[in-house]
Every structure is written in C-alpha cells, then in structure tokens.
C-alpha cells in the first residue's frame, strides 16, 4: 500500500510518456505464426450475358449432348452476325457505275484506260458480292444440315429447346432479308454488269474457274428469289423437315400472341419467320391444308396475324408484306385465308379507333413506371419482387408496346 501511494505521487512528463510508448514498437512479440495475409486489392465485377455459350464446357459427362448443342448454337450465332454484315452491305449499296465514264466508241483513244480504272474501282465491291454468294451457300448448307440432324426419327423423340428453335427462326429471317434486299437493289446488278463488261474486254477473267464463278454470280444476282428457291430445294430433300419447320412457326406464333418480345424488331421478325416458313413448307407433297388438318399448324391464327400486320419493316426503311410469301406459294388456297386475302381494311392502316385506348394505356403505364421508380429510389426491400409482381410489370410494358408497334 505504501509502494502504490509513492508511485502515484511521482510525476512523469509528457515527453517521457511519449518516448516510452515509442519504445514499445521495438518490443518483440513472437507468436510462431507465419504472415500469410495478402495485400488488400479492389475487385471490379462486370456481368456479361452475351457470352455466346463460351461456358459450354461446364457441361461434363452425363449431359455431353448439351455441349454439342451449345457449340452448334454458338456457330449459328456467329453466322447470323456475318449475315447481318452482308445485309448492311446490300442495304447501303449505292450505284457506282453511274459515276464511271463509259467509252463512247471503239475508236476512243483512252478506252483501255477507262476500262482499267473501272475494274480497279469496282473490283473490291464485286468481291463483296462474291463473298455474299459464298456465304449464302455456306449458310444454306449449315441450316439444312441442322434441320436434317434434328429431323431424324430418333432425334425427334428428344427435346429441342425453345432458344434453339428461335435461333433457327432467326436463320429463316436472315434468308428472307438477304433475298429481298438482293431483289430490290437493281444497282447491284448494274454495277456488276459494268465490271464484267470491262473485265471481259481486258481479259481479266481468263481461267475456266474464274469464268464459271463469274457466270454463277451473274445468275445469282439476276434471278429473283434465288436464295429462297435454293433453300426450298435443299429442304425438300430432307425427310420429315416439315415437322421442325412447323415447330419453328408455332413457337413464333406463341411468342407473338403472348407478347414475349421486347422490341418492335423482334415482333416483326416473328411475323416474317411465320410467312417465310409457310412458303418453305408448301410443295406438291406437303400442303398447308394437310398440315392444318393434322393440327401441326393453325391457319386461322396465322391468318389473323397476317391481317393485323399486313406490312412490316424488312431492313432499315424498306418494307415487306409477309402474306405475299403465302400467296406466291404453289398451292395457295384463298379459302383458307378469309381475312388476309380480303379487301377489308387492316387495323394497322386505321389507327384512329385505337387512339383512346393507346392514351389510356400510356397513362396507366407511366403511372406504373413512376410507382416502380419511387419504390426503387425511396424504399428498400429485403426480398426481391415476386414472380407475380414482375409479371404484372412486364404485362404493363407489353400492353403499351402493342398498339405503338
């Protein structure tokens, strides 16, 4: 007690206290434990759902068939992107031959120079057309090989996913877009005719293979509907191909009726696939009437779709009438298409009766959108929205999009 009292009465200056504290840093405290703590670092997480099935190798033994389907699906998506590039090339094509001077007579002194410059200018553009022809052949072969594989009797017993059917539908849409763009662009034929005339004069196309390719390209560009006719002939050689094409048409019809699309482009793609798919089905052995009798397709529902949407965008500002594919089929029966084949005015061409409903749905949608926005910014929910709440939100969005599209 006397010792504690004496310690309490001693005074320690602030400088001594701080120096004593600093000395503590040098005090060894061995704990016989290795220092394995890593240096802290920041982590950036970015979600990317556009992987094109790069994670397909995760499906190991037991579900190896999904690796095969994902691999083929990935390859088809890559071909769809390439087809999009060819469609952009055709859509943006402008006539080059009009700006190129033409020899006025065979005795013109600079005639050879004009033809040389013509070949020099148009050769890169002609190569694009050759690549289009090669791509069309490759795409038709790949599409038909997949149809043949999936149409096999044993394979038909297996399940074909909705995403895979939709990808096949996108392929059908790609063929329709490329074929119609090629038909509409007369400038493509004019430019190639100018190039071929100059190339033949200069004897640029000399060997037999080049001559054959030149003739093939000339026929490919000159013949109307060459892509769809070649596709139709290739499909008719496949046994039971109609079952799979019917599945593609039906899935597009279901998605259209249930409004399971996000943008107007997706909606119009579904309509084009239905029209072009019916054209591919109709032939002398397989008629649309027989398929309707077997309940493989529903002509009355398809008739209503084509009547409601008589004209849809093809590509950019170009338009197309999907029902024309059905009308141009070999065994077209007008009695099966009472609405589409009539002279009645389509709802698409008369918007005035729909304006009050569109305004009402717009107000309803904006109100719901404001409510959800306030909910996100002002409140915190410990649990995510239920499926019912998400479904109601999606239905409100679809109801607003439907009349506007």
């Amino acid at each position: 007690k006397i010792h504690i009292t004496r310690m309490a009465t001693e005074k320690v200056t602030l400088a001594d206290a701080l120096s004593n504290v600093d000395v503590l840093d040098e005090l060894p405290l061995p704990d016989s434990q290795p220092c394995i703590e890593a240096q802290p670092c920041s982590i950036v997480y970015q979600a990317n759902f556009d992987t094109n099935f790069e994670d397909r190798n995760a499906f190991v033994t037991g579900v190896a068939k999904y690796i095969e389907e994902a691999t083929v699906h990935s390859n088809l998506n890559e071909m769809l992107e390439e087809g999009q590039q060819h469609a952009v090339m055709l859509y943006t094509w402008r006539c080059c031959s009009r700006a190129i001077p033409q020899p006025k007579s065979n005795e013109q002194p600079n005639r050879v120079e004009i033809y040389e410059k013509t070949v020099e200018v148009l050769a890169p553009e002609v190569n694009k057309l050759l690549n289009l022809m090669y791509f069309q052949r490759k795409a038709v072969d790949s599409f038909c090989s997949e149809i043949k594989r999936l149409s096999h009797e044993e394979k038909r017993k297996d399940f074909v996913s909705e995403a895979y059917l939709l990808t096949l539908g996108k392929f059908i849409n790609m063929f329709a877009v490329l074929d119609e763009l090629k038909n509409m662009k007369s400038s493509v034929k004019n430019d190639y005719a100018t190039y071929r005339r100059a190339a033949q004069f200069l004897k640029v196309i000399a060997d037999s293979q080049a001559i054959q390719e030149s003739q093939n390209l000339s026929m490919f560009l000159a013949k109307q509907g060459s892509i769809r006719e070649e596709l139709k002939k290739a499909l008719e050689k496949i046994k039971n191909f109609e079952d799979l094409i019917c599945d593609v048409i039906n899935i597009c019809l279901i998605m259209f009726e249930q409004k399971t699309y996000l943008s107007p482009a997706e909606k119009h793609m579904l309509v084009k696939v239905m029209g072009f798919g019916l054209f591919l089905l109709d032939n002398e052995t397989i008629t649309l009437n027989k398929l309707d009798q077997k309940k493989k397709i529903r002509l009355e529902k398809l008739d209503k779709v084509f009547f409601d949407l008589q004209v849809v965008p093809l590509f950019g500002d170009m338009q197309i009438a999907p029902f024309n594919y059905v009308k141009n089929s070999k065994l077209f029966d007008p009695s099966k298409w009472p609405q589409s084949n009539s002279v009645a005015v389509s709802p698409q061409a008369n918007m005035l009766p729909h304006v009050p409903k569109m305004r009402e749905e717009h107000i309803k949608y904006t109100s719901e959108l404001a409510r959800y926005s306030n909910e996100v910014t002002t409140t915190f929910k410990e649990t995510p929205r239920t499926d019912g709440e998400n479904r109601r939100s999606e239905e409100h969005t679809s109801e607003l999009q439907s009349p506007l599209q």
Side-chain angles (χ1 to χ4, degrees):
K1 181 176 181 182
I2 296 172
H3 178 72
I4 295 175
T5 304
R6 187 175 62 183
M7 290 288 293
T9 57
E10 290 182 2
K11 293 182 179 180
V12 180
T13 62
L14 179 62
D16 293 340
L18 294 176
S19 63
N20 291 336
V21 172
D22 292 336
V23 172
L24 293 175
D25 292 336
E26 302 176 359
L27 182 65
L29 297 173
D31 55 359
S32 301
Q33 296 293 331
C35 183
I36 60 173
E37 183 178 357
Q39 183 180 2
C41 59
S42 59
I43 297 177
V44 179
Y45 174 77
Q46 182 178 1
N48 181 16
F49 298 102
D50 188 17
T51 58
N52 197 18
F53 301 95
E54 290 296 333
D55 57 347
R56 57 182 177 269
N57 291 328
F59 297 101
V60 292
T61 307
V63 286
K65 64 178 182 179
Y66 297 121
I67 298 181
E68 178 186 1
E69 179 177 336
T71 303
V72 176
H73 207 155
S74 175
N75 295 334
L76 293 180
N77 286 337
E78 292 176 357
M79 294 191 69
L80 286 173
E81 293 179 2
E82 186 178 353
Q84 177 72 9
Q85 295 175 1
H86 288 293
V88 171
M89 180 269 295
L90 287 174
Y91 177 72
T92 57
W93 190 287
R94 295 297 179 269
C95 188
C96 303
S97 56
R98 291 183 181 179
I100 298 176
Q102 301 295 325
K104 298 180 181 179
S105 64
N106 295 335
E107 290 77 19
Q108 190 170 338
N110 60 344
R111 181 186 178 192
V112 176
E113 183 181 1
I114 292 177
Y115 281 138
E116 289 177 348
K117 292 296 181 181
T118 299
V119 172
E120 180 182 352
V121 170
L122 292 180
E125 308 305 318
V126 171
N127 287 334
K128 295 179 182 179
L129 299 178
L130 279 170
N131 292 333
L132 171 64
M133 183 178 68
Y134 297 148
F135 170 77
Q136 172 258 334
R137 294 175 182 173
K138 180 178 68 173
V140 169
D141 291 341
S142 300
F143 180 77
C144 291
S145 64
E146 278 307 296
I147 296 294
K148 184 177 182 180
R149 183 178 69 87
L150 297 174
S151 299
H152 193 273
E153 293 180 358
E154 295 298 327
K155 192 67 177 177
R156 289 299 296 169
K157 300 176 183 178
D158 200 356
F159 172 75
V160 181
S161 65
E162 177 181 311
Y164 202 79
L165 291 175
L166 189 60
T167 300
L168 294 178
K170 292 179 181 179
F171 243 76
I172 294 175
N173 175 68
M174 180 190 71
F175 288 127
V177 170
L178 291 177
D179 190 62
E180 292 298 331
L181 285 175
K182 182 183 70 68
N183 294 342
M184 294 178 180
K185 286 290 183 176
S186 59
S187 56
V188 173
K189 307 176 185 63
N190 297 335
D191 287 348
Y192 182 68
T194 303
Y195 169 82
R196 189 179 183 186
R197 190 183 311 114
Q200 288 177 342
F201 177 82
L202 298 174
K203 298 182 179 180
V204 175
I205 307 175
D207 59 295
S208 58
Q209 183 178 359
I211 294 175
Q212 184 63 39
E213 288 297 327
S214 176
Q215 293 176 351
N216 292 339
L217 180 58
S218 180
M219 291 297 298
F220 172 73
L221 297 176
K223 185 178 179 181
Q224 294 284 318
S226 57
I227 296 178
R228 67 188 183 193
E229 291 297 337
E230 183 174 345
L231 176 62
K232 188 177 178 69
K233 290 179 181 178
L235 286 175
E236 290 176 354
K237 299 176 182 178
I238 302 174
K239 184 180 179 181
N240 299 328
F241 82 95
E242 66 276 5
D243 294 335
L244 192 62
I245 299 297
C246 288
D247 290 343
V248 174
I249 295 175
N250 290 330
I251 194 64
C252 291
L253 179 61
I254 292 172
M255 294 181 67
F256 180 86
E257 291 179 337
Q258 296 181 354
K259 301 178 182 178
T260 54
Y261 46 80
L262 185 62
S263 63
E266 294 179 6
K267 172 184 177 181
H268 299 144
M269 185 271 293
L270 299 175
V271 180
K272 285 184 286 186
V273 171
M274 286 185 272
F276 196 77
L278 292 174
F279 169 79
L280 296 176
L281 284 175
D282 193 56
N283 55 53
E284 296 179 356
T285 58
I286 305 170
T287 64
L288 298 181
N289 295 342
K290 291 182 180 179
L291 295 174
D292 183 50
Q293 293 173 0
K294 296 179 180 178
K295 304 299 182 182
K296 291 186 176 181
I297 55 176
R298 302 293 298 275
L299 292 185
E300 68 277 3
K301 291 186 177 182
L302 294 169
D303 183 28
K304 185 178 185 305
V305 172
F306 295 140
F307 177 70
D308 292 340
L309 286 177
Q310 293 184 351
V311 179
V312 297
L314 174 68
F315 197 90
D317 59 347
M318 294 183 173
Q319 314 294 325
I320 189 176
F323 185 65
N324 284 346
Y325 287 119
V326 182
K327 293 178 67 176
N328 294 332
S329 58
K330 296 180 180 179
L331 303 176
F332 173 64
D333 185 2
S335 62
K336 296 294 183 179
W337 307 92
Q339 296 186 65
S340 302
N341 202 44
S342 65
V343 295
V345 179
S346 170
Q348 188 183 30
N350 188 13
M351 295 187 63
L352 290 180
H354 302 284
V355 171
K357 183 180 179 181
M358 291 168 59
R359 288 175 177 169
E360 179 182 353
E361 292 179 348
H362 179 264
I363 295 174
K364 183 179 178 181
Y365 176 77
T366 52
S367 302
E368 290 291 332
L369 180 61
R371 184 172 71 85
Y372 287 124
S373 299
N374 293 335
E375 177 185 319
V376 171
T377 56
T378 61
T379 61
F380 176 77
K381 296 184 66 175
E382 296 183 356
T383 59
R385 289 196 187 99
T386 62
D387 292 342
E389 291 175 340
N390 289 328
R391 189 177 298 107
R392 286 194 295 273
S393 177
E394 188 271 337
E395 289 175 355
H396 293 320
T397 305
S398 301
E399 288 174 0
L400 177 67
Q401 289 179 344
S402 180
L404 295 178
Q405 293 170 4

